[in-house]
Amino acid sequence: SQQGEEDPQALSIQEGENATMNCSYKTSINNLQWYRQNSGRGLVHLILIRSNEREKHSGRLRVTLDTSKKSSSLLITASRAADTASYFCATAYTGANSKLTFGKGITLSVRP
Amino acid sequence: EPEVTQTPSHQVTQMGQEVILRCVPISNHLYFYWYRQILGQKVEFLVSFYNNEISEKSEIFDDQFSVERPDGSNFTLKIRSTKLEDSAMYFCASSELQGNMGYEQYFGPGTRLTVT
């Protein structure tokens, strides 16, 4: 399977703390994308990192990619209660026509 | 900011009925996708569409499913004879370009399909 798998499955932190979420995958990828989903709602695109990139930033988000370890991490700095959501990594693997393969997601709870 | 829209937000149908889910992708995007998420499960790829034809489809996307771009803006998913197991949230997505490294896929808010 080429699925992205996130860990931990659930994360609970205090507002203001940083949240780190990890994603591992099994085959070569073109890119990896992180999404947020609030309960029962749509998928909000957060950030895309391509296989030739190692790190990207967007506001309070920092994503890293280690292709040798087939893993990525999403760091949310200075978390807010509004960051409470499920976070998914999705991989577009080499040879595919850009379809995304999603992991099971991480449930992040930020306590006010 | 441009966004993908989907209608209806919730569709209830009886088993065996046909449903059409509608999507309006972002206007300058060229690639369109349907995904689904059964409650409590992963988001699963169904089909991708480019230049008025299917680019790729998953094994879920059998003969009961079809996609169409009937005009310059809409992108539809039809399920001919719904089954109970088709109950899920269906997401439409679009991307601007496809290339070796891929591009962002932007998702709509989803249509929750309930088959009774």
Side-chain angles (χ1 to χ4, degrees):
Chain A
S1 165
Q2 297 88 13
Q3 301 167 354
E5 295 293 343
E6 301 94 340
D7 81 86
Q9 290 187 325
L11 182 61
S12 180
I13 59 174
Q14 198 72 37
E15 201 165 31
E17 294 180 337
N18 296 340
T20 300
M21 292 167 272
N22 302 301
C23 170
S24 61
Y25 56 91
K26 297 184 178 178
T27 63
S28 297
I29 60 169
N30 285 338
N31 67 72
L32 186 147
Q33 306 188 35
W34 284 91
Y35 290 85
R36 185 185 74 229
Q37 184 180 39
N38 290 81
S39 181
R41 309 288 295 275
L43 294 160
V44 175
H45 189 274
L46 296 177
I47 200 163
L48 175 151
I49 187 164
R50 295 188 171 85
S51 60
N52 61 351
E53 298 173 314
R54 292 297 167 257
E55 185 172 317
K56 285 187 82 169
H57 297 254
S58 177
R60 293 184 296 114
L61 305 180
R62 172 175 168 256
V63 169
T64 61
L65 180 65
D66 186 335
T67 53
S68 66
K69 295 181 180 178
K70 294 185 171 57
S71 67
S72 172
S73 67
L74 170 67
L75 169 67
I76 303 174
T77 60
S79 63
R80 305 167 182 168
D83 295 328
T84 295
S86 293
Y87 291 81
F88 297 87
C89 72
T91 49
Y93 57 93
T94 305
N97 212 19
S98 289
K99 76 175 190 184
L100 293 177
T101 302
F102 282 78
K104 293 180 181 177
I106 299 169
T107 301
L108 174 66
S109 298
V110 181
R111 303 185 302 273
Chain B
E1 185 174 327
E3 57 183 19
V4 177
T5 60
Q6 290 185 243
T7 55
S9 57
H10 191 190
Q11 174 91 47
V12 180
T13 189
Q14 288 191 327
M15 196 167 51
Q17 296 296 305
E18 174 184 288
V19 294
I20 297 176
L21 310 182
R22 292 182 168 80
C23 167
V24 179
I26 295 172
S27 63
N28 64 333
H29 285 189
L30 301 176
Y31 296 88
F32 315 117
Y33 314 83
W34 284 101
Y35 294 80
R36 78 174 187 189
Q37 185 180 32
I38 295 172
L39 189 63
Q41 298 188 23
K42 297 182 182 184
V43 175
E44 303 173 289
F45 168 79
L46 293 178
V47 65
S48 59
F49 191 85
Y50 168 68
N51 200 26
N52 281 320
E53 59 183 32
I54 291 173
S55 302
E56 186 177 3
K57 60 183 181 180
S58 72
E59 56 191 31
I60 301 169
F61 194 88
D62 61 21
D63 291 344
Q64 293 299 313
F65 291 88
S66 62
V67 289
E68 191 177 34
R69 188 153 163 83
D71 53 42
S73 59
N74 290 285
F75 179 52
T76 62
L77 173 69
K78 181 193 290 186
I79 309 175
R80 289 191 183 81
S81 179
T82 50
K83 305 170 189 169
L84 293 175
E85 54 264 36
D86 293 329
S87 294
M89 181 76 94
Y90 287 80
F91 293 107
C92 173
S94 68
S95 65
E96 185 174 1
L97 289 170
Q98 243 182 30
N100 288 339
M101 294 296 197
Y103 288 82
E104 291 85 350
Q105 289 187 26
Y106 294 98
F107 283 69
T111 293
R112 181 165 299 284
L113 176 65
T114 302
V115 182
T116 61

